[in-house]
Amino acid sequence: MSDFRYKFAEHRSTLLAAVVFVVMFCIYAGNHEAGFSANVVQTAANKGVLLALLAVAQTFVVLTAGIDLSVGTVFILTNCLASWIVVGSPAMTALGIVGVLAAGLVCGAINGAIVIFGRLQPIVTTIATGAVFFGIALLLRPDPGGDVNSDLADALTGQLWGGIPASLVVLLGVMLVIWLPFRRSMLGRSVYAVGSSEVAAYMSGVPTQRAKFVAYMLSGLFAAMGGLMLTFFTYSGEASSTNASTYTLNSIAAVVLGGVSLFGGTGSAVGAIFGALIFRTINDLLFVFDLDPLWQPLFLGVVLLVAVCLGSVRLLQIRNRLDFFG
Amino acid sequence: MSRNDTTSSLRSRLPGFLQGVDTAVVTAFACIVVLLLVGSLYSSSFLSPDYLLQQLQVGSFLAMAATGMMLVVLIGQIDLSLPWVITVGAMMSTAAAGWGPWGPVIAMPVGILFGMLFGLVNGIGVAYLRVPSMIFTLGTNAVAQGLMVVRTGGAAPQDMATDSMHFVATGRTLAGIPNPVWIWVVVGGAVVFLLKRTTFGRSLYAIGNRERAAYLSGVHTQRIVVLAFVVSGGLAAFGGVLLAGYSTKAYQGMGDPYLLPAIAAVVLGGTSILGGRGTYLGTVAGVILITLLQSILSIIQMPEAGRQIIYGVTIVSMLLLYGRSARMRT
């Protein structure tokens, strides 16, 4: 029984995010003119999965108490790359996908190498590498365009039997194959340990460098999956700096909404996914309730601001003023 | 640690006034000299006083933003609301120019005031609500953007800069040196005084080193943090006002290209991104460095893609030269 209580406490923020999302989505679907139909769910899922993948990418690095401001540009870079190489026969397409994912891994490895072996701060490093990644994306696609294997794209963005959106299944599959084993592995626990206290982790013999490196690589990999999915949705590549920065910022917002601490060491990628879905649903709700499009950016900003302030409720419980400066 | 030992033995051989200078600042200035040489290879007019003054003029807009950013970085925080606070400054000053007969007079103060208002919100969020500045300023950035979208979309706004704003940003009143450069000198002097001679400045460093310790030694840390953000917001908005005067109008997203260079200038100038360490001379070097780099890239007509790549690679390699943090073992 007490074991259950600990488990509950551990996953409380994830559960909270999930409940909030379900409630919000029900309000959304209930007020949508097409109702709770498979098409509504499919559209919402396709838009949500993109941000969800980036939120997971961000989670890996945030868990190590770092931040990755280049997830958006890796996302755009791999989108541009995919619009070149994920075409042709099934074999060619498969090779192209491997290439895109490898590119993401390389981007993550570069970030990780600079942060770990170059001993630079993650925030500055990823701002700079983000500029480089975006430059390469511009080289690949000076103008929007390109193509993608449309059979595969349709399959991955369409519906399965029973109206289940395929993109959600992809997300679920990826999480089962990568996140779950990672979370249960020694390396996964090391990432959490590094985020809680790097010095303590180092002193207790945790392979801190390897853990951080893997976290950055996985971040790049998930950002590349996002880029790949974006190509499947749009059938093209576009080096848009607005998209890059919007997705980076939204990935951070999603992570915070999903209960992952920016100070590192707590939270889970599942929570971040629900955070991403919540953030997307806010957008959809504004649409359903017919808010003037002019007011939407302001409303989203205020929601974001209020959401991050919710965490300060804990300040009310502080007895010793020194704990303020934790 | 060992790196510092070798530099300190080198340093003892230098003349007295140079011994206190930061390694990072020296490296940054050395890089500026290299950039000037590289630039003069491409164009003979690169080293002409007029061209260099023009670069300083363009750089002074960035300098305003970077100065505010530096104060915030010194306390170990970051101000990511800079892009839209710059835009707010530009848009509200041009808007105020249309408010009745007093419009042109109050235009500039109004722009700066709105910037300080956003800084105040940032400061309260960071100091009193204890939200990490990275996420809170992102939020205010989004709110600022939303407000400006509503404002410009709701009614056709006045977006032309007044003649006086144009004059302040482009005129040359004293000694043939552009006005913004003089403004930079004044603002820079004020900040140096603030950092070196006032308790406010000393408190910034103390908070950046360890906020808890600063609090325990009697610093009103929360007030200081709020003040730092207010100054940062005001300076960013002032940069926006100058920018609007320079381009004679305010437009959406005009602050977006300034976030990365402002942070880069501060960090390249040797200010630790973790707070507590850095000199204003370094930030000056950083701003000049970034401005020269941008100008060389535009002289050789490098396409945007190449610019971004060179830009990122330069920042990383320069930081690898002198911005590395200590090894954990020590």
Side-chain angles (χ1 to χ4, degrees):
Chain A
M1 186 62 201
S2 63
D3 188 45
F4 173 79
R5 263 178 51 207
Y6 285 122
K7 279 246 151 59
F8 178 76
E10 185 189 345
H11 297 294
R12 193 169 49 192
S13 53
T14 305
L15 285 173
L16 185 67
V19 170
V20 170
F21 164 68
V22 169
V23 170
M24 281 176 65
F25 193 78
C26 287
I27 297 174
Y28 164 66
N31 286 283
H32 198 286
E33 50 194 24
F36 215 131
S37 71
N39 284 335
V40 172
V41 177
Q42 183 201 347
T43 318
N46 282 353
K47 282 188 288 184
V49 162
L50 287 184
L51 187 57
L53 284 170
L54 288 202
V56 176
Q58 189 68 260
T59 305
F60 283 111
V61 175
V62 167
L63 280 179
T64 68
I67 190 117
D68 188 348
L69 295 184
S70 70
V71 284
T73 48
V74 175
F75 171 68
I76 292 299
L77 169 61
T78 48
N79 166 233
C80 292
L81 184 65
S83 70
W84 277 108
I85 61 175
V86 185
V87 285
S89 66
M92 296 268 289
T93 304
L95 246 152
I97 292 179
V98 172
V100 169
L101 296 181
L105 277 174
V106 169
C107 290
I110 292 173
N111 280 336
I114 297 176
V115 168
I116 298 160
F117 305 112
R119 301 202 301 274
L120 297 186
Q121 283 305 312
I123 176 167
V124 198
T125 306
T126 52
I127 283 179
T129 55
V132 175
F133 298 151
F134 184 68
I136 300 173
L138 269 177
L139 282 182
L140 286 170
R141 283 263 166 250
D143 300 303
D147 198 14
V148 74
N149 186 328
S150 56
D151 292 338
L152 181 65
D154 290 345
L156 288 184
T157 58
Q159 294 172 9
L160 299 177
W161 315 274
I164 302 166
S167 52
L168 267 192
V169 176
V170 171
L171 180 66
L172 189 71
V174 168
M175 293 302 282
L176 286 178
V177 171
I178 299 181
W179 171 255
L180 262 193
F182 168 80
R183 180 71 187 89
R184 298 197 172 159
S185 69
M186 204 268 286
L187 220 51
R189 272 180 285 130
S190 307
V191 165
Y192 277 81
V194 167
S196 301
S197 168
E198 191 169 356
V199 178
Y202 175 77
M203 296 211 173
S204 6
V206 171
T208 54
Q209 297 198 326
R210 202 189 316 157
K212 276 165 88 175
F213 197 69
V214 167
Y216 278 93
M217 295 245 297
L218 285 174
S219 170
L221 180 68
F222 270 85
M225 284 189 231
L228 204 53
M229 288 306 269
L230 177 66
T231 325
F232 290 149
F233 295 138
T234 60
Y235 294 110
S236 64
E238 184 189 359
S240 152
S241 65
T242 327
N243 275 352
S245 57
T246 311
Y247 271 97
T248 305
L249 304 189
N250 290 356
S251 76
I252 300 176
V255 159
V256 172
L257 286 176
V260 183
S261 164
L262 284 179
F263 298 110
T266 42
S268 90
V270 182
I273 288 180
F274 282 113
L277 295 178
I278 289 174
F279 202 77
R280 283 285 348 169
T281 314
I282 296 173
N283 244 332
D284 291 339
L285 278 175
L286 296 179
F287 173 73
V288 164
F289 286 113
D290 231 8
L291 190 84
D292 189 340
L294 219 51
W295 287 82
Q296 286 193 10
L298 178 60
F299 194 81
L300 271 181
V302 171
V303 168
L304 178 58
L305 212 52
V306 171
V308 297
C309 290
L310 287 182
S312 46
V313 170
R314 85 191 147 78
L315 295 179
L316 299 175
Q317 300 162 349
I318 284 181
R319 299 227 176 100
N320 184 341
R321 266 186 74 80
L322 264 183
D323 290 342
F324 243 65
F325 310 108
Chain B
M1 272 298 146
S2 60
R3 206 168 50 91
N4 276 342
D5 293 340
T6 51
T7 51
S8 66
S9 65
L10 260 173
R11 185 169 290 169
S12 58
R13 280 185 240 154
L14 287 169
F17 72 97
L18 278 178
Q19 285 185 13
V21 177
D22 207 343
T23 335
V25 180
V26 174
T27 320
F29 274 109
C31 291
I32 290 175
V33 173
V34 171
L35 278 184
L36 283 175
L37 290 178
V38 170
S40 64
L41 290 181
Y42 268 95
S43 153
S44 53
S45 63
F46 197 83
L47 289 179
S48 73
D50 201 55
Y51 183 79
L52 292 180
L53 276 180
Q54 206 185 319
Q55 292 312 308
L56 279 181
Q57 178 183 1
V58 176
S60 56
F61 308 132
L62 174 62
M64 292 305 119
T67 305
M69 182 66 84
M70 182 200 177
L71 297 184
V72 173
V73 170
L74 273 183
I75 53 173
Q77 309 285 0
I78 198 155
D79 186 354
L80 296 183
S81 69
L82 185 104
W84 280 89
V85 172
I86 288 179
T87 314
V88 163
M91 285 191 161
M92 292 321 287
S93 62
T94 52
W99 296 345
W102 284 97
V105 181
I106 59 166
M108 296 181 67
V110 165
I112 297 170
L113 209 67
F114 272 95
M116 291 168 76
L117 212 62
F118 274 99
L120 182 68
V121 176
N122 281 337
I124 291 174
V126 173
Y128 289 96
L129 300 179
R130 310 304 298 177
V131 184
S133 58
M134 191 181 300
I135 186 84
F136 194 84
T137 53
L138 269 185
T140 45
N141 189 49
V143 169
Q145 177 176 12
L147 281 173
M148 289 302 110
V149 168
V150 169
R151 214 195 71 78
T152 49
Q158 155 90 354
D159 69 347
M160 298 304 288
T162 61
D163 290 339
S164 57
M165 280 165 68
H166 187 62
F167 172 74
V168 168
T170 58
R172 296 187 174 200
T173 6
L174 262 177
I177 291 174
N179 291 337
V181 180
W182 284 118
I183 294 174
W184 185 3
V185 170
V186 172
V187 170
V191 167
V192 170
F193 176 78
L194 214 61
L195 291 181
K196 298 252 177 206
R197 292 276 179 267
T198 64
T199 45
F200 171 69
R202 295 286 104 192
S203 310
L204 289 182
Y205 285 97
I207 293 172
N209 274 314
R210 191 162 282 265
E211 187 171 4
R212 186 191 276 253
Y215 172 75
L216 282 176
S217 36
V219 177
H220 294 289
T221 57
Q222 292 174 319
R223 252 181 263 168
I224 301 280
V225 169
V226 171
L227 211 55
F229 273 98
V230 169
V231 175
S232 163
L235 279 174
F238 186 41
V241 172
L242 289 178
L243 209 57
Y246 183 70
S247 54
T248 68
K249 61 177 187 295
Y251 49 92
Q252 301 265 347
M254 64 192 291
D256 287 344
Y258 280 85
L259 178 64
L260 186 71
I263 298 176
V266 170
V267 176
L268 287 182
T271 302
S272 163
I273 195 86
L274 299 175
R277 211 168 54 80
T279 59
Y280 190 69
L281 191 62
T283 303
V284 172
V287 170
I288 296 175
L289 195 57
I290 298 276
T291 310
L292 279 182
L293 186 64
Q294 282 175 343
S295 112
I296 288 179
L297 290 179
S298 75
I299 281 183
I300 61 176
Q301 294 181 337
M302 177 64 73
E304 182 63 20
R307 277 184 208 207
Q308 296 275 343
I309 296 174
I310 294 178
Y311 205 57
V313 170
T314 313
I315 293 175
V316 166
S317 36
M318 287 198 55
L319 285 177
L320 285 178
L321 259 181
Y322 60 77
R324 313 178 75 189
S325 50
R327 204 178 273 279
M328 200 169 12
R329 252 157 278 242
T330 57

